[in-house]
């Protein structure tokens, strides 16, 4: 039953999204940080994006990768893709094709077709041993 008379209360994540849409980066940062520190993967992704793009903070690939890793380790598909890009390009992390392939592969497992394209491109430059290592890591990976 729909009720149009009762407003739905927005939570901190929705408030952060509204602040971001309004380019209120200070509020977005404060809200994301509080949730990210409590382990919220969506907020960790949001913080990573803020640092990657330099929105309301100094652009910092190392800090972006830190927050992306926390969310990716929880199984956040888009963040796994972003972390794959970071490892592929050496942005904020040491360039590593095995880890790029791993993160793209994990994102693919959740239906991210863009990650499939990137994974296949990375795979072309890998040795059979590197590819086997990446696939083994993907098979053994468990969310934290």
């Amino acid at each position: 039953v729909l009720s149009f008379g009762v407003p739905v209360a927005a939570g901190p994540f929705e408030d952060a999204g509204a602040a971001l849409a309004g380019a209120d980066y200070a509020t977005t940062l404060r809200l994301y940080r509080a949730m990210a520190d409590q382990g919220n993967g969506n907020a960790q992704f949001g913080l990573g994006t803020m640092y990657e793009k330099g929105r309301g903070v100094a652009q910092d690939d190392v800090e972006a990768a830190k927050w992306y890793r926390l969310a990716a380790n929880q199984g956040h598909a888009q963040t796994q893709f972003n972390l794959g890009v970071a490892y592929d390009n050496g942005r904020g992390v040491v360039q590593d094709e095995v880890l790029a392939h791993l993160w793209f592969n994990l994102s693919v497992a959740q239906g991210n077709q863009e990650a499939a394209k990137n994974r296949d491109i990375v795979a072309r430059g890998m040795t059979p041993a590197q590819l086997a290592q990446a696939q083994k890591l993907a098979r053994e990976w468990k969310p934290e």
Side-chain angles (χ1 to χ4, degrees):
V1 176
L2 290 175
S3 172
F4 296 102
V6 180
V8 176
F13 192 78
E14 292 78 14
D15 292 346
L20 182 62
D24 180 356
Y25 299 127
T27 299
T28 306
L29 182 66
R30 178 178 50 79
L31 292 170
Y32 276 166
R33 175 76 64 167
M35 291 181 289
D37 286 342
Q38 294 177 358
N40 182 303
N42 290 323
Q44 291 165 343
F45 169 74
L47 271 179
T49 302
M50 290 182 78
Y51 281 103
E52 179 185 356
K53 308 281 187 203
R55 291 190 180 137
V57 294
Q59 195 282 332
D60 186 336
D61 288 333
V62 172
E63 192 70 9
K66 171 188 130 181
W67 290 108
Y68 284 158
R69 188 175 296 103
L70 289 168
N73 280 333
Q74 294 182 55
H76 192 280
Q78 184 60 46
T79 309
Q80 290 172 334
F81 173 83
N82 287 18
L83 198 52
V85 170
Y87 277 107
D88 187 31
N89 297 314
R91 292 194 59 188
V93 294
V94 174
Q95 187 175 16
D96 187 324
E97 291 175 326
V98 170
L99 292 177
H101 190 282
L102 163 69
W103 291 114
F104 286 140
N105 206 20
L106 292 173
S107 186
V108 169
Q110 296 187 70
N112 186 331
Q113 291 309 304
E114 188 177 358
K117 293 175 191 168
N118 287 36
R119 178 201 58 201
D120 295 345
I121 290 168
V122 168
R124 286 186 215 127
M126 296 171 71
T127 67
Q130 288 173 316
L131 189 55
Q133 181 186 9
Q135 291 168 338
K136 179 178 188 285
L137 289 171
R139 281 191 308 274
E140 294 174 351
W141 182 84
K142 301 265 188 285
E144 294 179 2

